[in-house]
Amino acid sequence: MNTHRIALRQTPLLCRSVRSTAPSTRQWSRYLSTSKGGDEAGKKRGGAGKFLAGMLVAIAAGSAVVLYPSLTKGPPKPHEATIEYEKARPVPESKEDNRDIISSQHLQVKKSWENPGVYAWGSNTGRVAAPDSTDNVVKTPRRIAYFDGQLLRDIKLDREFGAAITEKGDLVQWGVAFSKANPTPAETLKGKDLVKIEISRDRIIALGKNGTVYSVPVAGSDQAAGEKSHQSSWLSFWSRPETVNYRKLKPQNLGWGESIVDIASGLEHTLLLTSTGRVFAAASSTSDFPSKGQMGIPGLTWATRPKGPYDEPHEILSLKGFKISKVAAGDYHSLALDSEGRVFVFGDNTSGQLGFEVEPQFPFVDAPIPLPFNKIYSGSNLQPRVTSIAAGGANSFFTVDAKRIAGLREEANSVRDLGRITADTWACGSGIWGSLGTGKWTHVSLGPSKIKSLSGLFEWDENTNSTIPIRLARLSAGSTHVAAVMDNVTFVGASDVTSDNDTNWGADILFWGGNEYYQVGTGKRNNLALPTYIEPLDGGLGDAEKGRKGEHHRFQITPRTTVRLGEGGTGRKVSVEQRVECGRFVTAVYSGT
């Protein structure tokens, strides 16, 4: 409006400037009155001036007319919001089809039962994530065809080789470190009824159901070379030679009825846990003897080791008297958890993975020392109890049940949430790839840090009509990345007799850490310092078939239940669950028995 007014004020000024030429013209005419043609020249000049003045007035008036609407209109009105309702769904053909249409989680659970097997992704330079492909990386989950329809007892993955235990307890190996000529999966050690495996730099440590521990070379050529033992049948007079060269790791002084019940392994060492809570340590690699205190035996080196096999197990005497219930191992460090919820740590601490501040003059600890979680919770009116441990690479993880207790100046009767359990998750070690899960990128840790997005979580339990803490069901730590399976309420009871809208759903699972080889599963290459969801294992194909194309749903992992396998539930009846395994730059989700 102001601009408009200025334009209007300028118009008469222009008119006055034109009219002011008239006296000059008249004076000019008077001086030239004796000249012939002077009046005609004056007339011509006066006509030109009037024409110019008219043109300027017309231009000014036209500009005002053109500019008036833009100068006088108010601010633009916001676009009217439009409400977009849920897209129309396909018409269901059956009760089960209706469940698939309304729930991505239900569809995921059903497909895990109909098509058991292994999905893998990450580095494929060693032909581990995709044995039949020459791609260097597998960016999103892809099925390994060899395992289609199979249930596995365990699986472990390195960048250069993979190992798995079949439902029958036989060992399967693949990858270029196993065979450059033929890196596809093949059965190797058979008939040992294996239940768990761990991997070192160049060997596979396998635990049999009877407590026997086998150390098997990764390379197929090493398995074929050397002296092999004989396998005996129940008939003592009949035996046959083994096809695989292996060693047995057997402690010398096990008690009557005592056996190995759990194992954990780093790149150079392995831990053996017995049924009575004792812990033994042994070398697990043929390339290097443990030298960073990870065996928990002070002064033990290659030069000072006792006579006998280099991989002979030695008891960790510092843990004697504590009933150890779980062991875990990173690349060069070890963790032990006892039945009272106390944690012991030893080995390499150059990244703070033992939970203590790094001291350059003491880069490792060669004997177990306790990690004081009571001090960490000091002043919080919470009493901590460590419930599980995990380790991988240069990281350690702890889950804690923190019980609310009365403080020094509190009366128990006045505390409303007395006895309430809060489930927390803690991490320490290297965080340069984001593997701490705390949102921070740090080279070293000064102590355990709480993973806030996995701590202090609660949900409503309809069975008990109360809020309950959400704990972690399992945590798998690879060399630089991690996966956590939540122990949230799940449901797998939808059947023919339940409601049409009654759907199954699994447990939440989150990933974080190094993603340089796409091992986190997001399809992108950026590292993640906070836990995040990934999309369903089939990349959303099942959702698209059910009318959910373009929608984003999260992957949920199927909990253990007894079902019939195969399409339509027409196969054999088994107890099955999905499990996740993070390895060295590779990840797998498999159907576990």
Side-chain angles (χ1 to χ4, degrees):
M1 179 63 74
N2 293 334
T3 307
H4 171 61
R5 288 175 179 171
I6 293 171
L8 293 179
R9 285 199 299 268
Q10 288 174 345
T11 303
L13 291 175
L14 291 172
C15 293
R16 283 196 297 270
S17 64
V18 173
R19 286 196 300 270
S20 63
T21 62
S24 301
T25 305
R26 287 194 295 270
Q27 187 177 12
W28 183 267
S29 301
R30 188 170 57 248
Y31 290 152
L32 299 176
S33 59
T34 58
S35 302
K36 187 178 180 180
D39 291 341
E40 294 179 0
K43 289 179 181 180
K44 290 181 179 180
R45 292 178 180 274
K50 290 180 180 180
F51 177 76
L52 179 61
M55 287 294 294
L56 293 174
V57 171
I59 292 172
S63 300
V65 171
V66 173
L67 294 174
Y68 180 80
S70 63
L71 296 174
T72 57
K73 68 179 181 180
K77 295 181 179 180
H79 293 289
E80 188 173 338
T82 57
I83 301 175
E84 184 177 352
Y85 295 95
E86 184 180 2
K87 297 178 181 178
R89 299 293 188 188
V91 178
E93 299 178 357
S94 63
K95 177 185 289 189
E96 186 60 28
D97 189 41
N98 181 69
R99 293 167 175 163
D100 293 342
I101 291 173
I102 65 176
S103 173
S104 173
Q105 285 74 31
H106 180 86
L107 184 62
Q108 291 178 53
V109 170
K110 187 176 79 170
K111 284 184 173 293
S112 72
W113 295 337
E114 291 182 343
N115 303 293
V118 176
Y119 286 88
W121 60 95
S123 174
N124 196 45
T125 56
R127 305 282 292 275
V128 174
D132 298 323
S133 172
T134 57
D135 294 340
N136 287 330
V137 292
V138 176
K139 297 182 180 181
T140 54
R142 185 185 301 181
R143 291 183 72 95
I144 299 180
Y146 177 88
F147 295 108
D148 282 350
Q150 294 191 45
L151 307 183
L152 302 178
R153 294 185 179 182
D154 199 3
I155 193 170
K156 290 293 183 293
L157 306 169
D158 183 85
R159 185 179 181 178
E160 302 296 325
F161 65 91
I165 304 176
T166 67
E167 190 175 1
K168 295 180 179 180
D170 297 329
L171 181 64
V172 174
Q173 294 179 240
W174 70 98
V176 297
F178 168 62
S179 173
K180 290 184 179 181
N182 185 15
T184 57
E187 290 188 352
T188 54
L189 187 63
K190 302 179 183 179
K192 304 302 182 185
D193 199 10
L194 305 177
V195 294
K196 184 178 182 179
I197 52 175
E198 294 285 334
I199 55 176
S200 70
R201 180 175 281 114
D202 55 8
R203 299 187 76 84
I204 298 168
I205 311 302
L207 175 64
K209 191 174 183 179
N210 62 0
T212 304
V213 180
Y214 304 90
S215 177
V216 183
V218 166
S221 57
D222 291 339
Q223 295 176 8
E227 184 178 353
K228 301 178 181 64
S229 60
H230 282 67
Q231 184 178 20
S232 300
S233 71
W234 62 276
L235 296 173
S236 59
F237 57 84
W238 180 83
S239 65
R240 58 184 176 85
E242 297 278 8
T243 58
V244 173
N245 174 27
Y246 62 81
R247 301 175 64 87
K248 288 185 179 181
L249 304 183
K250 183 177 180 180
Q252 297 299 317
N253 58 342
L254 292 180
W256 177 258
E258 186 179 18
S259 62
I260 306 299
V261 294
D262 196 11
I263 56 176
S265 183
L267 289 177
E268 300 172 352
H269 76 294
T270 188
L271 302 176
L272 313 177
L273 176 64
T274 76
S275 54
T276 62
R278 292 199 293 164
V279 182
F280 292 80
S284 63
S285 172
T286 56
S287 59
D288 293 287
F289 193 82
S291 60
K292 298 185 178 182
Q294 63 264 51
M295 293 181 68
I297 302 172
L300 180 62
T301 65
W302 174 260
T304 62
R305 75 189 191 284
K307 292 182 178 181
Y310 80 97
D311 55 359
E312 181 178 351
H314 305 276
E315 184 176 5
I316 303 177
L317 298 177
S318 301
L319 294 176
K320 204 166 186 178
F322 301 98
K323 186 175 176 57
I324 303 301
S325 58
K326 185 169 179 58
V327 291
D331 284 352
Y332 303 106
H333 73 287
S334 303
L335 311 176
L337 174 67
D338 78 353
S339 58
E340 300 296 322
R342 292 170 293 202
V343 177
F344 301 88
V345 297
F346 46 102
D348 182 29
N349 193 45
T350 53
S351 297
Q353 58 264 55
L354 299 186
F356 297 98
E357 188 173 353
V358 176
E359 298 183 45
Q361 63 272 32
F362 301 108
F364 61 83
V365 177
D366 61 1
I369 55 176
L371 184 59
F373 270 90
N374 284 325
K375 185 177 180 180
I376 296 173
Y377 279 85
S378 177
S380 65
N381 295 334
L382 294 173
Q383 185 178 59
R385 178 188 176 92
V386 180
T387 55
S388 69
I389 55 176
N395 291 110
S396 301
F397 301 90
F398 315 90
T399 60
V400 176
D401 274 2
K403 182 179 180 181
R404 178 67 161 93
I405 58 175
L408 294 176
R409 299 182 180 180
E410 292 181 324
E411 293 184 3
N413 295 334
S414 65
V415 181
R416 294 181 58 185
D417 58 348
L418 189 69
R420 185 185 192 186
I421 300 295
T422 300
D424 294 332
T425 304
W426 297 79
C428 58
S430 175
I432 193 62
W433 295 284
S435 50
L436 291 176
T438 60
K440 297 180 180 180
W441 311 88
T442 57
H443 286 275
V444 299
S445 296
L446 301 179
S449 299
K450 184 184 292 186
I451 304 178
K452 293 182 179 179
S453 54
L454 301 180
S455 302
L457 304 177
F458 294 86
E459 66 179 340
W460 182 259
D461 185 2
E462 294 181 355
N463 295 324
T464 61
N465 288 325
S466 63
T467 57
I468 58 174
I470 303 179
R471 298 179 172 90
L472 294 191
R474 186 168 185 265
L475 192 147
S476 178
S479 57
T480 62
H481 73 295
V482 191
V485 179
M486 307 303 295
D487 194 20
N488 56 281
V489 173
T490 59
F491 181 77
V492 289
S495 65
D496 293 338
V497 298
T498 59
S499 165
D500 289 12
N501 297 327
D502 205 10
T503 60
N504 296 321
W505 71 87
D508 287 329
I509 178 171
L510 299 100
F511 298 81
W512 68 93
N515 200 23
E516 60 271 47
Y517 299 100
Y518 299 90
Q519 63 264 43
V520 171
T522 59
K524 300 178 181 180
R525 205 169 191 173
N526 56 303
N527 299 334
L528 299 173
L530 288 172
T532 187
Y533 296 105
I534 67 172
E535 294 195 353
L537 296 178
D538 65 357
L541 293 178
D543 288 326
E545 292 174 357
K546 297 301 178 181
R548 292 188 291 271
K549 185 177 181 179
E551 297 181 10
H552 295 281
H553 298 272
R554 67 179 184 268
F555 166 48
Q556 284 192 320
I557 199 164
T558 304
R560 179 170 292 280
T561 190
T562 300
V563 295
R564 288 192 177 276
L565 302 178
E567 189 171 353
T570 57
R572 59 193 179 99
K573 193 174 184 179
V574 296
S575 176
V576 63
E577 66 177 346
Q578 279 186 319
R579 301 179 197 148
V580 63
E581 185 64 40
C582 295
R584 192 166 301 278
F585 313 133
V586 192
T587 309
V589 171
Y590 66 101
S591 302
T593 182

